[in-house]
């Protein structure tokens, strides 16, 4: 998930809150007594009501103003699958999502927020062209990681003699990718979490080429690039790259997404009827405007400057008194 996205992980586990509201139907029976829908709703409302109402309202408001297609959601999903490779399913479960469809609901909401937040962000053609010139297509890689250079050379020799990469990964590799033939999925040149030495070696390879031993902070690697697409024409990817630049600006200023949600909720004239949840949207609706924050910062700077001047004046007077005493 992008860091600018509001916290929506509750979607993975408490979406039942909306379905429970209203009605006195029995949810569970026991000799000690029954649990009704109303009781369940009140209990869930107390624990996660504020966050869940916030999420449901945002989704309803944005769904009316912006459109996110299934194709867009699938594209984002496939991008994450490529990045995580065979670890995707495990990551999904660890994050609390019951299945892929559950996760796609949150992706849909994230993309709605993205469109709302980037609506008024401007990027120039020069910025997009510079971004295009610097960007390299993502590549698919697999590796075999071992402890020392001697073992890495041994593995490389076996590969040169025709042995299968996947088989040797299962035999030698010392990380979790061993069971999947060393597959690391798709990597990006600008991924800050990927070791720089590893990226430099991998992006220097041609498709189908296997590296010699490469040392990183994690050990010694033998790397193979399994897919390396050609760079697409600028006109074909211009709009996509412009959107990526806008999203990058969201990453640089987390307040932009909050201000966008505030704008959309006020425009929709949202009114919370449940007294217990009246304050659910206050953290968004009462967020200070950027100009207010700037004014506060300027006032604080003036106060700090005045205090520094007063301190300097006091210090000067004390020094003068000391000099007179010495005389």
């Amino acid at each position: 998930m992008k860091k600018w996205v509001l916290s929506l992980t509750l979607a993975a586990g408490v979406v039942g809150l909306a379905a429970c509201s209203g009605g006195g139907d029995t949810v569970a029976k026991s000799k000690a007594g029954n649990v009704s829908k109303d009781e369940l709703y009140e209990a869930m409302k107390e624990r996660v009501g504020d966050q869940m109402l916030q999420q449901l309202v945002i989704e309803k408001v944005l769904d009316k103003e912006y459109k996110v297609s299934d194709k867009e959601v699938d594209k984002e999903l496939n991008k994450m699958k490529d990045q995580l490779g065979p670890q995707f399913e495990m990551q999904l479960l660890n994050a609390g999502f019951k299945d892929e469809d559950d996760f796609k609901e949150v992706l849909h909401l994230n993309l709605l927020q993205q469109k709302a937040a980037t609506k008024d962000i401007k990027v120039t053609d020069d910025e997009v062209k510079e971004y295009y010139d610097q960007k390299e297509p993502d590549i698919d890689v697999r590796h075999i990681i071992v402890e020392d250079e001697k073992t890495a050379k041994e593995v490389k020799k076996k590969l040169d003699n025709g042995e299968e990469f996947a088989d040797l990964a299962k035999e030698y590799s010392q990380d979790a990718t061993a069971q999947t033939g060393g597959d690391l999925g798709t990597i990006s040149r600008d991924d800050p979490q990927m070791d720089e030495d590893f990226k430099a070696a991998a992006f220097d390879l041609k498709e189908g080429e296997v590296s010699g031993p490469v040392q990183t902070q994690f050990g010694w690697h033998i790397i193979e690039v399994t897919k390396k697409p050609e760079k697409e024409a600028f006109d074909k990817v211009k709009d996509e790259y412009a959107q990526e630049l806008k999203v990058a600006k969201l990453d640089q200023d987390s307040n932009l997404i909050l201000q966008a949600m505030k704008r959309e909720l006020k425009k929709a004239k949202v009114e919370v009827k449940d007294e217990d949840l009246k304050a659910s949207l206050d953290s968004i609706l009462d967020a200070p405007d950027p100009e207010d924050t700037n004014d506060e910062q300027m006032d604080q700077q003036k106060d700090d400057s005045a205090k520094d001047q007063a301190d300097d004046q006091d210090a000067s007077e004390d020094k003068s008194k000391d000099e007179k005493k010495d005389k």
Side-chain angles (χ1 to χ4, degrees), residues 1-17:
M1 295 287 97
K2 297 289 186 184
K3 60 185 178 183
W4 49 264
V5 176
L6 292 177
S7 179
L8 298 172
T9 53
L10 284 166
V14 294
V15 290
L17 177 60

Side-chain angles (χ1 to χ4, degrees), residues 140-142 183 185 206-209 224-228:
D140 291 354
V141 300
R142 55 182 178 176
D183 187 10
K206 299 182 178 67
E207 184 172 313
E209 187 177 2
E224 181 184 12
V225 173
T226 58
K227 183 179 179 182
K228 190 169 188 176

Side-chain angles (χ1 to χ4, degrees), residues 8 30 32 65 71 105 110 118 131 144 203 219 235 245 255:
L8 298 172
S30 77
E65 294 294 324
K71 185 177 180 181
E105 288 183 22
N110 288 350
T118 56
Y131 180 68
I144 299 170
F203 277 89
D235 289 341
L245 274 178
N255 191 49

Side-chain angles (χ1 to χ4, degrees), residues 49-61:
D50 287 341
Q51 300 97 317
M52 201 63 227
L53 180 63
Q54 190 179 103
Q55 176 181 319
L56 292 170
V57 169
I58 288 173
E59 185 165 22
K60 191 169 287 290
V61 168

Side-chain angles (χ1 to χ4, degrees), residues 221-233:
H221 308 255
I222 300 297
I223 306 167
E224 181 184 12
V225 173
T226 58
K227 183 179 179 182
K228 190 169 188 176
E230 293 291 328
K231 195 167 187 174
E232 296 184 279

Side-chain angles (χ1 to χ4, degrees), residues 50-242:
D50 287 341
Q51 300 97 317
M52 201 63 227
L53 180 63
Q54 190 179 103
Q55 176 181 319
L56 292 170
V57 169
I58 288 173
E59 185 165 22
K60 191 169 287 290
V61 168
L62 296 184
D63 249 332
K64 186 176 180 181
E65 294 294 324
Y66 305 92
K67 298 303 175 189
V68 171
S69 66
D70 291 342
K71 185 177 180 181
E72 289 174 287
V73 174
D74 288 339
K75 182 179 180 180
E76 194 70 18
L77 178 68
N78 290 332
K79 195 183 299 183
M80 296 191 73
K81 283 183 174 180
D82 287 341
Q83 290 171 351
L84 294 171
Q87 300 176 45
F88 174 77
E89 295 293 339
M90 184 60 69
Q91 292 284 349
L92 213 60
L93 292 174
N94 289 341
F97 295 97
K98 61 184 180 182
D99 55 32
E100 200 172 283
D101 289 336
D102 194 22
F103 180 58
K104 285 169 72 172
E105 288 183 22
V106 177
L107 277 182
H108 178 266
L109 181 51
N110 288 350
L111 288 171
L112 284 171
Q113 288 184 298
Q114 185 186 106
K115 289 192 175 186
T118 56
K119 175 183 174 183
D120 297 325
I121 294 178
K122 307 296 183 186
V123 293
T124 66
D125 287 345
D126 288 342
E127 285 180 296
V128 180
K129 185 62 168 64
E130 182 181 1
Y131 180 68
Y132 170 83
D133 290 339
Q134 295 175 351
K135 190 173 177 66
E136 290 184 67
D138 295 344
I139 59 176
D140 291 354
V141 300
R142 55 182 178 176
H143 79 146
I144 299 170
I145 180 170
V146 294
E147 286 186 356
D148 53 72
E149 185 178 15
K150 180 181 177 182
T151 309
K153 287 181 176 179
E154 179 182 324
V155 172
K156 182 64 165 66
K157 185 176 181 180
K158 289 187 175 184
L159 287 169
D160 291 341
N161 289 333
E163 295 194 39
E164 291 294 326
F165 195 101
D167 293 339
L168 291 174
K170 290 177 181 178
E171 180 181 350
Y172 283 93
S173 204
Q174 297 180 340
D175 70 355
T177 65
Q179 299 307 311
T180 56
D183 187 10
L184 286 171
T186 302
I187 67 169
S188 301
R189 169 69 89 170
D190 55 1
D191 183 355
Q193 297 182 348
M194 181 68 66
D195 183 273
E196 291 298 325
D197 293 324
F198 186 95
K199 285 191 295 185
F203 277 89
D204 196 44
L205 297 171
K206 299 182 178 67
E207 184 172 313
E209 187 177 2
V210 178
S211 74
V214 176
Q215 186 178 21
T216 72
Q217 58 184 312
F218 303 108
W220 289 84
H221 308 255
I222 300 297
I223 306 167
E224 181 184 12
V225 173
T226 58
K227 183 179 179 182
K228 190 169 188 176
E230 293 291 328
K231 195 167 187 174
E232 296 184 279
F234 176 68
D235 289 341
K236 186 175 181 180
V237 295
K238 179 181 177 181
D239 291 343
E240 178 183 343
Y241 282 10

Side-chain angles (χ1 to χ4, degrees), residues 303-318:
D303 291 342
D304 291 343
S305 178
K307 185 176 182 302
D308 290 341
Q309 289 178 1
D311 290 342
D312 290 343
Q313 181 66 29
D314 290 342
S316 178
E317 290 176 357
D318 290 342

Side-chain angles (χ1 to χ4, degrees), residues 257-274:
I257 182 70
L258 182 61
Q259 291 301 321
M261 296 304 99
K262 177 180 179 179
R263 178 193 71 220
E264 297 297 335
L265 292 184
K266 285 194 169 184
K267 188 166 64 174
K269 301 186 184 301
V270 177
E271 182 181 357
V272 179
K273 296 292 188 180
D274 190 315

